[in-house]
Amino acid sequence: MSIKQNLNTILEAIPKHVTLVAVSKTKPVSDIMEAYNAGHRVFGENKVQEMVEKHEQMPKDIEWHMIGHLQRNKVKYMASFVSLIHGVDNLKLLKEINKQAQKHNRVIECLLQIKIANEDSKFGMSAKDASSILQSSVFAELKNIKITGVMGMATFTDNNTQIKQEFESLKNTFDSLKTIEVSNFKPETISMGMSGDYKLAINCGSTMIRVGSSIFGARNYN
Ligand SMILES: *Cc1c(COP(=O)(O)O)cnc(C)c1O
């Protein structure tokens, strides 16, 4: 099937309130243009350099999402255009995003990455850490940041019961954080679900899925 067909198959299968982030990492601009020409505008990349290069070459009405683990010294390269940063897992990184956003006179939207997987390799903070960041006086001062929700990655396993439990724990974390009232926290997004598990994720409350290989085909990292 073509990229356009894959995209439409997924869009037809998901509810209207769920945002599809088309994960285009490792894929060439020509593939992304195929999705763009089919009407899609939201793309996710996991490397800053690659996202910057694609942003330069592509139409400017694309919403670029940074979905990968982010180093503080890379924030400046994308601060002028990134539309959502999914993987924020510490306060120092938030401060740097705020500083760079301020330079460009904009507010950058971010999701707090919560560790839900039972794997050391996955990044993220605990629900408790997220709660204390959101309630800290330091965070309240970060006027060029808006936290719009949470993001999580399930364990890499074919045990659906486990994946479901992890997605449910992210939904529960979101629901408990939601009660915190601070002006730069507007909880509306739960980013969870990838090609293999987005249907399960949506059943568990996901409002944003990050899908790569089911749209663009398998990735070749060479
Ligand atoms: C690569 C990636 C995805 C997409 O994975 P697929 O299995 O190809 O859909 C989603 N989220 C993150 C954080 C990724 O790095």
Side-chain angles (χ1 to χ4, degrees), residues 133-149:
I133 286 180
L134 290 171
Q135 290 175 279
S136 70
S137 52
V138 176
F139 173 68
E141 295 303 311
L142 303 179
K143 299 298 180 200
N144 293 77
I145 290 274
K146 186 160 82 180
I147 295 199
T148 56

Side-chain angles (χ1 to χ4, degrees), residues 21-25 44-46 66-69 86 113 151-153 156 191 193-198 209-219 221:
V21 180
V23 176
S24 48
K25 63 190 185 193
E45 291 283 336
N46 71 337
M66 174 44 57
I67 62 169
H69 185 65
H86 289 233
Q113 183 168 359
M151 178 267 206
M153 286 179 84
F156 187 71
S191 166
M194 319 198 327
S195 290
D197 54 22
Y198 68 85
I209 56 175
R210 310 175 308 268
V211 179
S213 41
S214 290
I215 298 171
F216 296 106
R219 284 177 295 272
Y221 283 97

Side-chain angles (χ1 to χ4, degrees), residues 118-191:
N118 197 1
E119 272 170 57
D120 291 339
S121 60
K122 297 268 160 67
F123 295 99
M125 58 175 98
S126 65
K128 199 159 161 260
D129 290 345
S131 171
S132 44
I133 286 180
L134 290 171
Q135 290 175 279
S136 70
S137 52
V138 176
F139 173 68
E141 295 303 311
L142 303 179
K143 299 298 180 200
N144 293 77
I145 290 274
K146 186 160 82 180
I147 295 199
T148 56
V150 296
M151 178 267 206
M153 286 179 84
T155 303
F156 187 71
T157 171
D158 46 24
N159 181 345
N160 276 326
T161 310
Q162 183 179 353
I163 296 175
K164 184 165 179 274
Q165 280 168 1
E166 293 175 357
F167 285 157
E168 284 168 348
S169 82
L170 187 60
K171 166 74 165 120
N172 288 338
T173 297
F174 176 81
D175 287 343
S176 68
L177 295 175
K178 218 164 57 174
T179 60
I180 298 171
E181 286 184 37
V182 45
S183 65
N184 49 353
F185 178 50
K186 291 272 170 340
E188 49 201 27
T189 300
I190 304 177
S191 166

